[in-house]
Amino acid sequence: MNTPRHRSALLAVAGTALVLSLTACQSDGDTASPAAPEATVVATAVSAQPAGDKGTGTSGPAGSAGSAHSTGSKDSAGSTGSSGSSGSAGTTGSTGERASASAPLCTAGDVTVSAATQDGPPYTHIVLTAKNTSHHTCRLTGFPHIQFLESHKQDVPAVAKSKPATPVVLTAGAPAYALVKLSDGGMDEDVEPVSAFSVTLENDPTVISVTAPGSEGIAVDPAKALTGYWTPELRNGADDF
């Protein structure tokens, strides 16, 4: 009887041990299975935490990086290149005009004055040409002060309508012209022969001697003689007077 009881006891003990071992294994399996969800929660929390950190602390660099792209709008500062339009100051052709207007007055030493007849006989008009023979630009102002005869010391009157609208500026080698009336060309005029006459420029009293055109000179009626202003072009009779 003792032997079966002993076996029963051993079986009971063995069964208990088996149950305990199974329980232990089951408890290990139970603790292991929640570990995976717990690890997932932690990972999610970790991933959420950087996301939160990125939204706060790291937003400075990240945001500034984004704003750095906006600083690309500094390229608009390149629009200051439009200041290159100040090159329009270079549209400054007017400065050239001012420079020409500030050129010194022509003197007798700067020009050579010659005379030629205009139209056919009777020769009632001549054209004076003043050519700049200097090596610099000068301004020729007013009209030629002409005295044809020793007996008439007054200057030949000037015709106001022939005055040019702008100053006459002569570069080196450039000419200017003045139309001069000698007479009306009538048979009953009191004319006198002139082989040479004197011309002076405004602001320069130096006398320039001019040879009259033609082999026999010119016939001048001192009472009818007139002169035009210096002009930069020969007007082809537009200033006839």
Side-chain angles (χ1 to χ4, degrees), residues 103-114:
L105 293 174
C106 296
T107 65
D110 297 325
V111 299
T112 299
V113 180
S114 59

Side-chain angles (χ1 to χ4, degrees), residues 37-50:
E38 184 176 356
T40 302
V41 171
V42 171
T44 303
V46 169
S47 62
Q49 183 63 33

